[in-house]
Amino acid sequence: MKGIVLAGGSGTRLYPTSLAVSKQLIPVYDKPTIYYPLSTLMLAGIRDILVISSPADLPQYRRLLGDGSALGLDISYAEQERPNGLAEAFLIGADHIGADPVALILGDNIFHGPGFSPLLQKTARDVDGCTLFGYSVTDPERYGVGEVDAAGKLVSIEEKPAVPKSNRAITGLYFYDNDVVDIAKNVTPSARGELEITDVNLAYLAQGRARLIELGRGFSWLDTGTPESLLAAGQFVHTLESRQHVRIACVEEIALRMGYIDADACHRLGERLGASGYGRYVREIASGWPES
């Protein structure tokens, strides 16, 4: 399975900060925002990843992530000239996707919860059609909303409904089979000229090939699209890391635990990070590997 991180958009809700830097490069506590969606794809076992961003911002992502080889990944890059809807990622990334299924994740989404990696890996193996992830929220009118029947089957999807049929928001993580490229090519642009991801999901739903996995109690889904949500995300990460003495979305540690790199390579990555607390953590993980 291929992966795509969509790190475009103008980030207007974060102005003036995002006038100078891509919103996915703004730190959430101790690491750049893009580490969080990148780590999600890595936990799914996905190693061939395309980062899509604006022409102005791509050089910064290349400087941060390189070609991914240091993490045992293959990271490539593509330009999105302007925000033309999430589904445009499948057109921009068509060559990257090739004949494979694909996972798309939005560059400002953070996922954290027990058993997440096995769930992701199973979903990646078993994808047939479209798999979405739902999360219960108090304000579903702000999101795409999925409705399921008594048997848990997905029966409807609505984008920002005035009267939501459920409180299950559809998160910014999507798994698709290879048909998604052709489906996206046939999506009619919205009145704003955008290719909407909801229309792609509705096409799968009409074929009876869309399902919704609910992320239940004990799970957290956050985005960082506003100053308030960015602050809340940073506080969430800080609290968990300080109490549990682990680093959430530490891509070096994930690469080691997933077998993408060995302990020596991980330690060298930690050395590059100098005296920072993050760097010390990476070195400690590498020095103590394998764990007893």
Side-chain angles (χ1 to χ4, degrees):
M1 173 173 274
K2 302 292 179 60
I4 296 177
V5 180
L6 185 56
S10 53
T12 55
R13 292 181 298 169
L14 286 170
Y15 279 3
T17 302
S18 55
L19 284 170
V21 62
S22 170
K23 65 178 181 178
Q24 290 87 4
L25 291 172
I26 295 172
V28 173
Y29 182 50
D30 58 352
K31 63 191 73 71
T33 298
I34 197 171
Y35 274 34
Y36 296 89
L38 178 62
S39 70
T40 297
L41 296 182
M42 294 172 67
L43 289 170
I46 299 170
R47 302 173 70 174
D48 194 346
I49 297 169
L50 177 70
V51 175
I52 298 177
S53 190
S54 70
D57 293 325
L58 278 179
Q60 299 175 72
Y61 288 107
R62 287 193 174 97
R63 180 181 178 187
L64 176 67
L65 302 172
D67 63 3
S69 59
L71 295 169
L73 307 176
D74 182 358
I75 298 179
S76 53
Y77 301 88
E79 295 182 356
Q80 185 181 41
E81 290 287 344
R82 59 186 62 83
N84 288 324
L86 305 186
E88 189 182 36
F90 304 116
L91 306 186
I92 295 172
D95 290 342
H96 168 74
I97 297 168
D100 295 314
V102 61
L104 171 69
I105 187 167
L106 304 188
D108 60 357
N109 275 219
I110 298 173
F111 295 86
H112 181 73
F116 194 36
S117 184
L119 173 63
L120 291 172
Q121 291 175 40
K122 184 178 187 302
T123 303
R125 287 193 305 268
D126 300 340
V127 64
D128 179 17
C130 162
T131 299
L132 310 173
F133 294 84
Y135 187 81
S136 295
V137 296
T138 57
D139 50 355
E141 66 279 357
R142 295 181 52 231
Y143 303 92
V145 174
E147 177 193 12
V148 299
D149 62 16
K153 180 181 178 182
L154 183 63
V155 295
S156 77
I157 302 170
E158 295 181 289
E159 183 65 25
K160 297 181 180 178
V163 184
K165 295 179 181 178
S166 83
N167 66 342
R168 295 179 181 86
I170 294 174
T171 70
L173 174 62
Y174 317 85
F175 284 69
Y176 298 98
D177 64 14
N178 192 254
D179 292 342
V180 71
V181 176
D182 287 334
I183 289 174
K185 287 178 181 177
N186 290 293
V187 165
T188 300
S190 68
R192 296 183 298 177
E194 297 182 355
L195 300 180
E196 302 290 354
I197 197 77
T198 296
D199 291 334
V200 171
N201 297 335
L202 286 170
Y204 276 104
L205 184 63
Q207 298 173 8
R209 297 199 300 132
R211 68 179 182 130
L212 184 71
I213 295 175
E214 185 155 5
L215 302 173
R217 293 183 65 180
F219 207 93
S220 297
W221 168 56
L222 308 93
D223 68 45
T224 60
T226 67
E228 294 79 13
S229 61
L230 183 65
L231 176 62
Q235 292 172 332
F236 170 81
V237 172
H238 172 258
T239 298
L240 283 181
E241 292 191 351
S242 60
R243 292 187 177 183
Q244 298 181 0
H245 305 291
V246 298
R247 298 269 171 171
I248 297 171
C250 176
V251 293
E252 296 84 1
E253 180 181 7
I254 292 170
L256 177 62
R257 293 186 181 277
M258 294 293 292
Y260 301 163
I261 60 175
D262 61 22
D264 289 340
C266 185
H267 198 279
R268 287 194 295 272
L269 290 172
E271 289 176 338
R272 288 173 50 192
L273 297 170
S276 69
Y278 185 100
R280 288 196 301 274
Y281 176 82
V282 172
R283 294 193 295 275
E284 289 168 2
I285 290 293
S287 297
W289 188 261
E291 296 174 323
S292 57

